[in-house]
Every structure is written in structure tokens, then in C-alpha cells.
Amino acid sequence: MGSDDDAWFEDYDTDMSNGSGSGGYPSDSDGGHAGSSSSDDDGDDGFERTQPGALVQSRSRLYTIIDRPSLRRLQEEALHQVQGIMGCSATVARTLLTYFNWDAEAVLGTIAERGQDEVYKRAGLLSQSDEAVGTAAGAPPPGADVACLVCMCDVPAGEATAMGCGHTFCNDCWREHMRINITEGMSRRLKCMAHGCGVVCDEDKVKTLLRGQGPLLQKYEQALLESYVDDNKRVKWCPSVPHCGRAVRSKDLNCEVDCACGHKFCFACCEAQHSPATCDMLGDWSRRMKDGSETSSWLNANTKPCPKCSKPVEKNGGCNLVLCRCGQAFCWLCGQATGRAHTWTNIEGHSCGAYKDEAEARATEAQRNLKRYLHYLTRYEANLQACKLEEKLRKDVEVKVEAMSEADPSLANTYWLSDALAQLFLARKCMAYSYIFAYYMFGQEMFKEDFSQEANAINQALFEDKQGQLEAEVERLSQLIENPWPPAGGDEMLSHRMAIINLAANIDTRVQKMYEVIECDIAPQVASRGVGIAPYKGKHATGSGGEAAAEVYRQAQAGGSGGAGPSNSHMPSSDIIDLTEEEGPRSARKGKAPAGIGALATRSKRKAGS
């Protein structure tokens, strides 16, 4: 599409979207599609909502994994939907869907609003009346030769083909035209080769012409099949290397995908999962780390260019006369070249006047920005480094549990430990990228138009409070897992085991509360740009905070009675964490934690007290 088509199509998106003005991705009926399904149609995600319970409910399942057989079936269903409503051929339906990014609702809605003739023209099609006229005009008389205007040869009518637009050329020229376009990746919009025509070739006629060229026909059909992914805004290939062959369809761009092949990625940018940082934040952060922009900030803060050779010079003394290695002396205050004769108070023959407020302010600001960047960078890298040690820690713990299981057979069931390790590393990943989020959100740069300094300070304090609580719990769980454990078979080991289960559940709740601050308090205030953050999908976040955690407690209780796990009655009351407690001034509008957690915690406290 050219620039006019882009503007026209974008105008439709704005007009026909569901009122959000966010780019227009009308939801279609997912039904029961695809091999490994993890999607339903509960509605879009948006930051206008301010109730955490509604956020969790609408995000229960956000995407669908599509394998090759499912891909073909989904494409055929979309084609049949448009064909059934409009009564058109498969070629027309495919061309319309390709033009509208495989959004059937957009096709039908645009035709209803703009008219069929205009839509067909822009998509590279003829209206039904024009197609009938073109077919009649292009049909040669029976037994007559056809003059091919490409090779300038007269060929029998049986060796020429007329497309729906009426243009007729010999089959050899058609095949060469198709070979070139298919080789160059133009299979999905294979157009007539007549000058200025631009009408898409009929799919059945293309297949007939390529029938004797197996590899080329296969490539053409493969491109038509993969068009459902390549031309679809809501479907993307899994970026795994080597490619697993699966695709992912999501109703929301802001989604983190766990492909069936094991690869985890952000649906919007296809990079590694990075929530709660946005794709824009991650992109700028990555560029900073690659191009050394903070090195430039340090140079701006601590050096000045020599007026002769322009190389940076760092001042290492108290005198304002600075001597470059090239031999040029200059004034540190104003940067002008001077002679070498000077005293502690002035430079001979030079007076740059008063103290340079503006230059000093720039240097101070650069130093502040550098320190701020290093603060967040240090914590980001520390948490990522801890995540990289996941496999080593997992193996060390397995060895430890295997050695202790001989004395305590109940430790042979390690579901509770696997759950805690998964939650620990997921929380560390969220914490790492939360520092990128904080760096940009509260830096008064990317979002300076949205917040005053006072509002920015309030948001930062609220976010860092939740971030700090999460960090403390994560470090506590890490110590419980990594430090030496109590002897197996006693009450101390049971208490230690239950403390790990409690902390894993509590960390999940802490992460959810940090996300709630972003989604319910900070994001709704941003008007200058979208804050596209993938929702949290933690180990226990299958419903409103902690339902799966409650299941862990129930399994632990059942295991305690059957010899497979600890009983809550062995836990000291100080180690039972009541996840129903709310924190801060936002408690009045937050959703309640499941009753199961509070009930189990209360029951354990009563047992410990008795």
C-alpha cells in the first residue's frame, strides 16, 4: 500500500475501532482454535480500568499457540466467513483479508461504510460488474490467435490466459512474470503485468499456470498459507532459533508468550519477556547499554574539549588553567584558549568574567543523570545475574533434598520446592525490569508531559514502596533456600519447609500489588503515549491473587496427614503470613484475597496458639 492507502486505512481504524483509538484491533471469534490453546474472548486489556479484580479476570487467557494444521484451518475459516457473507471467490476474499491484515470485521465494516467499489479498488480488485466486463473483453474469438504484448508473438488461444481484468498474455510470459514475483517474495499480491493495471491475479489461474513447476507452486502456496501470520497484526511467528514452526495469536499486543517449544518472548516486540518495562523503555535501555551513551554523559560531566585538538580533558587540580597533551592551555571555566602564565587567582591576559552558572548547571545535571543511571543499572544487572544462576541453584537444591530424603521420606515429593524456585526466579525477572520501568517513568524525560514534579514524586514513592517490599521478600526466600537447612525429620525442617511455601505465595502477591500500582495508579495518568505493559502471569496468578497459593497450602496439609508434606500445625504463628491484609491508602478499592489463604492462616495461628 502506498501512503494514500495507509492514511485511508488508518482513518478507518480510528473511526471503526471500539472507541479506544488505540490502533483498532477488533476481536474476532477465537472459538476453540489451535493446538495448544491459552486464549479466550473475555475482552481487551486496558489501563482505564482501576479495579485489580477486573484486570485479573479479563487477562486469564490472552493468547493461542497455532501449529501448522491449525494455521491452515484458521485461514480457511476466515476465508469462508468472508466468502459466505459477500458471495465472492476465494481469490477476492484472500485479497481483501490480506489488505485488511486478516481482520474479517474490518473488511465487512469498511465495505459497509465506504462502499464495495472503493474498497475493491484500493485492495487491487475489480468490482463484480467490472470483472464481468473484463472477462468478456479479454476472451479471444474461438480458434483465433492472441497477440501477446509482452513477447510480441501471436500464440493460439489455448496457449494464452486472460485474467479477470481482461488482460491476456501468453502462458510463457505469465509463468516468467510469476516466477520473478514469487522469487522476490510478492506471492501474496501477485498482480497483473499489464502496465498500470494493479489487479491481483486469480489464485486458481496462477495454480493452473504453475502446475508443471512443483517447487515454484509449492512456494506460492506456502506464501499464501503463511500470509495469515505475515500480514496479520494479531498473529506472529515464534522467534525461537531454530524456528519451531509455531505461531501465536493474541487479542492484545501487550502480552508475554510462553510458546510450546519453551521459548518465552514479548508478543509486541518479539524480544525476551520484559514486563513491567514497556517495549519503548527496553529498546532505549538496550541502546544505552550498546552505544555507551552513559559514557558520553560521564565525559560531559567530567571533561571539557580542548579548543585546539577537541579531545576531552579532565581537570586533576584546583587551578583553572588546564593544559592539554597537545600543548594548548585553556581556561576551565569558559573553555577559551589562553597563555600559560597564571596565578592561583587569574590567568594573565585573560578574563572570562563571572562564574559560569549555565555550564556548571549542565555539568551537575549530567553527573546526577549518570549516578541515577548507574543506580538502576547495578540493580538490574544483579537481578538478571541471579536469574542466570537458576539452573545451578536448582541442581544444588536437588542434591540437598536427595541427601535429606533418606532421613525424611516426605521430602521426596518436591513440588513445594519446584514451585518456590519458579516463583523466586520469576520475581527476580520482574524486579530486574521494574528498575528499567522506574528509570524511565520517574526520570522526568520520557513522560515529562504527563506528570508534575509533585505527582511524579508521589508515584515514585508509591511504586518504590511496593518494589521494596517485594525485594525484601525475595531476598528472604533466597536465603531460606540457599542457606543450610535444619536436620531432616524434625519439626524445624517442617517449619522451614512451610516457611518456603508461605514466602513463595507471599512473593506472588507482592508482585501482583506492584503491577496494580502501575496499572491502576500510574498508567491511567499517562496521556502522551500508551503504556503497554504485559500483565503479570505468575506461578500463582491464575485468579485473584493467591488461589494457586491456597492450593499449595491444601496440598501441604494433605501431605502432612499422609506423610508427603508438612502440617500447618507445626508452623510458628510468626511464619504464617496472612495474605488478606491490605497495605497503604489504596486498600479501600483493592480486591480481596481469596478466603482460602486467610482461613488457612487463621487456623494455623489458632493451632500454634493452642
Side-chain angles (χ1 to χ4, degrees):
M1 286 184 289
S3 59
D4 293 340
D5 289 340
D6 292 340
W8 180 79
F9 186 65
E10 289 171 4
D11 179 52
Y12 165 76
D13 280 341
T14 303
D15 294 341
M16 299 295 292
S17 62
N18 56 4
S20 65
S22 60
Y25 296 96
S27 60
D28 62 10
S29 178
D30 281 6
H33 303 323
S36 302
S37 174
S38 56
S39 170
D40 75 16
D41 300 304
D42 288 338
D44 283 359
D45 172 31
F47 290 110
E48 293 80 4
R49 300 182 181 88
T50 56
Q51 295 300 326
L55 284 171
V56 173
Q57 183 178 3
S58 68
R59 291 166 164 177
S60 57
R61 302 165 74 189
L62 289 174
Y63 60 85
T64 302
I65 306 296
I66 304 174
D67 55 18
R68 287 284 174 173
S70 299
L71 176 60
R72 187 177 300 278
R73 179 165 52 83
L74 289 172
Q75 187 182 66
E76 290 175 354
E77 288 177 0
L79 290 171
H80 292 159
Q81 180 183 3
V82 174
Q83 286 181 265
I85 296 176
M86 298 186 59
C88 60
S89 65
T91 299
V92 172
R94 187 186 301 277
T95 303
L96 288 172
L97 286 168
T98 301
Y99 183 78
F100 284 94
N101 304 121
W102 288 90
D103 190 335
E105 292 185 10
V107 173
L108 302 175
T110 309
I111 290 176
E113 180 177 325
R114 313 264 183 184
Q116 177 175 312
D117 290 345
E118 183 178 1
V119 173
Y120 271 42
K121 180 181 178 181
R122 291 183 177 274
L125 295 168
L126 294 173
S127 64
Q128 293 181 352
S129 58
D130 291 340
E131 185 177 359
V133 172
T135 302
D145 289 343
V146 175
C148 177
L149 299 179
V150 175
C151 63
M152 296 301 180
C153 296
D154 293 336
V155 297
E159 297 179 10
T161 300
M163 292 296 169
C165 55
H167 295 120
T168 305
F169 302 98
C170 71
N171 292 345
D172 290 339
C173 290
W174 275 121
R175 292 189 184 99
E176 183 63 16
H177 170 71
M178 294 171 183
R179 184 190 66 78
I180 294 174
N181 281 269
I182 293 173
T183 303
E184 293 180 352
M186 302 296 293
S187 304
R188 296 190 293 274
R189 291 183 62 82
L190 193 58
K191 296 182 179 180
C192 173
M193 58 181 167
H195 177 70
C197 179
V199 174
V200 177
C201 295
D202 183 85
E203 182 180 326
D204 293 332
K205 291 184 178 180
V206 173
K207 292 180 179 180
T208 301
L209 287 167
L210 296 178
R211 187 171 297 164
Q213 304 182 35
L216 198 61
L217 177 59
Q218 184 179 3
K219 187 173 183 179
Y220 174 72
E221 293 177 336
Q222 185 71 14
L224 293 183
L225 175 63
E226 294 179 353
S227 169
Y228 185 81
V229 179
D230 296 334
D231 297 318
N232 196 333
K233 293 181 179 179
R234 299 173 58 205
V235 182
K236 292 186 178 181
W237 294 111
C238 172
S240 59
V241 179
H243 182 39
C244 68
R246 297 179 179 87
V248 179
R249 181 170 67 174
S250 174
K251 69 172 79 174
D252 189 350
L253 282 178
N254 302 314
C255 174
E256 290 186 339
V257 177
D258 295 351
C259 183
C261 68
H263 187 70
K264 301 180 180 182
F265 63 98
C266 168
F267 184 82
C269 65
C270 293
E271 298 293 337
Q273 296 179 356
H274 52 77
S275 179
T278 67
C279 297
D280 290 341
M281 293 175 180
L282 181 68
D284 190 78
W285 181 268
S286 300
R287 285 190 293 272
R288 283 176 179 269
M289 298 184 68
K290 290 179 181 178
D291 64 15
S293 59
E294 295 309 319
T295 301
S296 300
S297 297
W298 186 91
L299 291 174
N300 291 332
N302 298 279
T303 68
K304 291 187 178 180
C306 170
K308 179 180 179 181
C309 67
S310 299
K311 292 182 179 179
V313 178
E314 180 182 10
K315 183 179 178 183
N316 60 2
C319 180
N320 287 327
L321 180 69
V322 180
L323 185 64
C324 180
R325 288 184 176 181
C326 69
Q328 177 63 55
F330 65 94
C331 175
W332 179 258
L333 296 179
C334 65
Q336 295 181 6
T338 67
R340 298 193 181 189
H342 68 288
T343 66
W344 286 107
T345 57
N346 60 7
I347 302 173
E348 184 178 352
H350 174 74
S351 176
C352 60
Y355 173 75
K356 300 295 182 180
D357 290 326
E358 184 178 350
E360 188 66 21
R362 284 198 302 268
T364 302
E365 180 68 13
Q367 289 176 340
R368 187 191 73 84
N369 290 338
L370 177 60
K371 291 179 180 179
R372 185 172 179 273
Y373 171 77
L374 293 176
H375 169 84
Y376 289 106
L377 176 64
T378 301
R379 286 151 181 79
Y380 163 77
E381 290 182 336
N383 282 283
L384 280 192
Q385 182 62 28
C387 290
K388 292 178 181 178
L389 300 176
E390 172 183 359
E391 189 62 28
K392 181 179 181 300
L393 176 59
R394 193 180 300 275
K395 290 181 178 179
D396 292 345
V397 172
E398 287 177 356
V399 172
K400 184 186 300 186
V401 172
E402 184 177 356
M404 299 178 68
S405 61
E406 297 179 359
D408 186 357
S410 66
L411 293 177
N413 187 345
T414 60
Y415 74 89
W416 55 277
L417 188 56
S418 300
D419 181 87
L421 286 172
Q423 185 64 62
L424 174 64
F425 293 116
L426 178 61
R428 284 204 180 276
K429 191 265 300 183
C430 292
M431 283 176 54
Y433 290 105
S434 73
Y435 287 110
I436 298 180
F437 174 85
Y439 176 78
Y440 288 100
M441 181 59 70
F442 310 123
Q444 289 288 295
E445 294 179 6
M446 185 176 287
F447 300 95
K448 62 183 178 181
E449 299 177 1
D450 300 291
F451 305 108
S452 64
Q453 291 187 355
E454 293 77 11
N456 190 59
I458 294 173
N459 290 336
Q460 184 173 1
L462 184 60
F463 176 80
E464 289 182 348
D465 175 58
K466 303 301 181 186
Q467 188 186 47
Q469 293 176 11
L470 171 62
E471 186 174 14
E473 297 292 338
V474 167
E475 294 303 325
R476 184 182 172 197
L477 177 59
S478 180
Q479 291 178 5
L480 282 178
I481 294 177
E482 295 181 17
N483 289 349
W485 289 8
D491 288 348
E492 290 185 7
M493 183 58 209
L494 292 175
S495 298
H496 187 82
R497 183 178 178 184
M498 202 62 203
I500 291 176
I501 295 175
N502 271 282
L503 276 174
N506 199 34
I507 286 173
D508 175 73
T509 302
R510 298 294 185 192
V511 179
Q512 291 186 55
K513 292 186 181 301
M514 184 178 71
Y515 273 73
E516 287 172 12
V517 169
I518 297 173
E519 298 167 351
C520 303
D521 293 303
I522 298 175
Q525 303 177 40
V526 178
S528 62
R529 62 171 71 196
V531 184
I533 297 176
Y536 172 61
K537 52 181 181 59
K539 183 69 177 176
H540 299 136
T542 56
S544 55
E547 290 180 355
E551 180 63 24
V552 171
Y553 280 95
R554 286 191 289 271
Q555 292 176 353
Q557 279 194 311
S561 59
S567 169
N568 284 345
S569 61
H570 292 286
M571 281 295 299
S573 59
S574 60
D575 284 334
I576 295 294
I577 302 171
D578 189 352
L579 300 182
T580 62
E581 293 180 359
E582 298 292 348
E583 305 151 355
R586 301 172 64 252
S587 59
R589 56 188 178 86
K590 285 189 175 181
K592 296 181 178 179
I597 297 290
L600 287 168
T602 304
R603 182 163 60 251
S604 299
K605 290 178 181 178
R606 286 200 301 267
K607 289 181 179 180
S610 61

